[in-house]
Every structure is written in C-alpha cells, then in structure tokens.
Amino acid sequence: MSAETGVGAAFGKVAVLMGGMSAEREISLMSGRGVLQALRSRGVDAHAFDPAERDISELKKDGFARCFIALHGRFGEDGTVQGALELLGIPYTGSGVMASSMAIDKVMTKRVMLAEGLPTPTYVLLRRGGYGSADVSAIPDQLGLPLIVKPAREGSSIGLTKVTERAGMADAVAQAEKLDADILCEQFISGDEVTCPVLGTGSQARALPVIRIVAPDGNYDYQNKYFTDTTQYLVPCGLPEGEEAVIQQLVLQAYRTLNCRGWARADVMIDKVTRKPYLLEINTSPGMTGHSLVPMSARAAGISYEDLCIEVLKTTALDHQSQGGGAS
C-alpha cells in the first residue's frame, strides 16, 4: 500500500474534470466518479472538479498540478477546455487543442481521413439555413437507404437517427439540427460494428483489443450504450482471422494522422460483403463508465480499470511540451 501511495503522490494534486455543460453531462459524471475512485484507490490526491459549477481559473488558485479530463462532448472534448488548460499551464490527459477540435467534428475528421486516403463512409453535409426540402429529399438518392443522420459535433449517439425510408428524412434532419448547425448525413455500412482503443503517443501508441458490438436490432443508441444490459460486447472480437490486426493498424494510422495523444477510441464499421473497414470517428475523451468500452478492452489486455486510469494520467502533457504524437 505504501508503494502505491508513493506512486500516487508523485502526480501531485489532480483534478478530475467531470460534468460540464454538454449534452453528455450525465455520462461524464458517471465516468468522472469512476476515475476519481480509481485514482484515490492508488493513493492519488484526486478531487472532483465540475467546470459547469466552478470557474476553470480556480484550478490554478487551488494548486492543481494536472487534470484528468473525464468530460465528454462540447466544452470538454472539443479543444476549449484544453485551450484553457494550456493558458493556465496545467498539463492534462488526452489530445491537444487542435486534435481535440478536429476529432469532435465528424465532418472535419472525415475530410482529414479522406485527404489521407483512409476509408470512411460517403457523406453529405447540411448547414442550418443553407438547405431546403429538395436538398433533404435528394440525399437518399446520393447515399442510398438506409442512411445515418446525426449532429456533426455530438457524441454518445445523441441526436442520431437511422433513416430507413425517404419519408423519415425531414424529421431526422430536424432532430439533428436541434443540437448542431451542421448535420451529417452518412452512408450506412451494413455489417460488424467494432471499436478499438489506443493508448500512448506517437510511435509509442498501441492499439488495445478490438471489441465487436452486437446491439438489439443493430441499434446501438444512447439507451443501449449506457442503460441496458442487452447489448453484447465481444472481446475477443471473433472476427475472421487477420481482420483484428488490420483494424488495429487502421485505427493507429487515423490516431496519428489526427495527431491524437494519450488515449482515444475509434469506431469502425466492417462491410459484411466486402469485409472492408470504414472509420466512423475518433473519441478523444472516451467514456469510463461501467458500460464503457476502453476499460473493457483494457481488461481483455490484462489492464485493470485502476491501472488504466494511472496509465492515462501518466500521459498528461501540454501542447508545447509534448514530443511527437503526429503523423510523419
């Protein structure tokens, strides 16, 4: 116990940022509480800090040496809190300002992936005030049915609709537009849904075991992600031989291309006919709840939840201090 306490003390006073102001506040509080308990169990002087209830500048006044970001979504995963911590000079977990701001924006992520030759589903972008009913009704002709409609900058499947018939387009777009001015309409890839976490930075980054997700009726929505026990998470993933390694390599390539650091989790669809993998998005502040996938994958690799939290905490950095971490 004394050794663990000594390791924990080396981190100094740690703020676990949780809650926040995004639509994912509830999930962030669940993640943050788990991380807080885990860090304390390892002797870390960790404290909860909710940016929705306290001014971020209080981190400096209260003498925090580093931050574990357990915020999800806007104002926590989009480069804003990262920028504030850069100005305060307090090292933090996860990706830096630019990588965070790119990865939260699914359209920007797609543009970067396509520019680098990485596979991602075809898409159409609608911007609030810049489209009419004819534009919406034409999208199934461009992408086929079914298709996915979602806000460009939300996570946890919030505002996501799977459109199976043309008549559902208008309502799906309206639902997404309530949450974001940019609406992403995306080709639906029918097949295996998988996710793959990454730990580390640059050449030291490594992919953890791939998890295959089998949701009720193929509907991996907000409810099935966090509040039901009917979704199956298969790890080992049970994919055909060689596919897991291909996906891990693809995810690492995307991670480095976006210049992510510390940790992240990428979501991938595998076409059931061609077996080609398609990158959907990269989450730079992954969930750490009881249903979350990074702890599940880590456990399959022999890393406990507590050790995972410590490993992530060890990666705290500032943009101007970090070494490497990008694509060559």
Side-chain angles (χ1 to χ4, degrees), residues 119-133:
T120 186
T122 306
Y123 74 98
V124 173
L125 171 63
L126 298 177
R127 286 209 156 110
R128 186 185 292 153
Y131 64 89
S133 58

Side-chain angles (χ1 to χ4, degrees), residues 186-198:
E186 185 178 58
Q187 171 195 13
F188 177 73
I189 304 297
S190 179
D192 290 319
E193 182 170 3
V194 299
T195 194
C196 180
V198 177

Side-chain angles (χ1 to χ4, degrees), residues 54-136:
R54 300 178 64 186
D55 192 285
I56 200 82
S57 64
E58 291 182 31
L59 287 167
K60 194 75 170 177
K61 295 175 186 173
D62 290 353
F64 284 103
R66 64 191 75 212
C67 292
F68 191 117
I69 298 177
L71 297 165
H72 306 316
R74 287 185 240 193
F75 308 114
E77 199 172 352
D78 62 357
T80 52
V81 77
Q82 288 79 6
L85 294 172
E86 291 284 340
L87 291 171
L88 292 171
I90 302 175
Y92 52 91
T93 57
S95 294
V97 176
M98 182 172 287
S100 298
S101 62
M102 282 197 301
I104 193 72
D105 189 321
K106 297 176 181 67
V107 174
M108 188 58 69
T109 299
K110 280 180 168 292
R111 286 173 175 158
V112 173
M113 288 179 181
L114 289 168
E116 293 295 319
L118 298 173
T120 186
T122 306
Y123 74 98
V124 173
L125 171 63
L126 298 177
R127 286 209 156 110
R128 186 185 292 153
Y131 64 89
S133 58
D135 299 306
V136 173

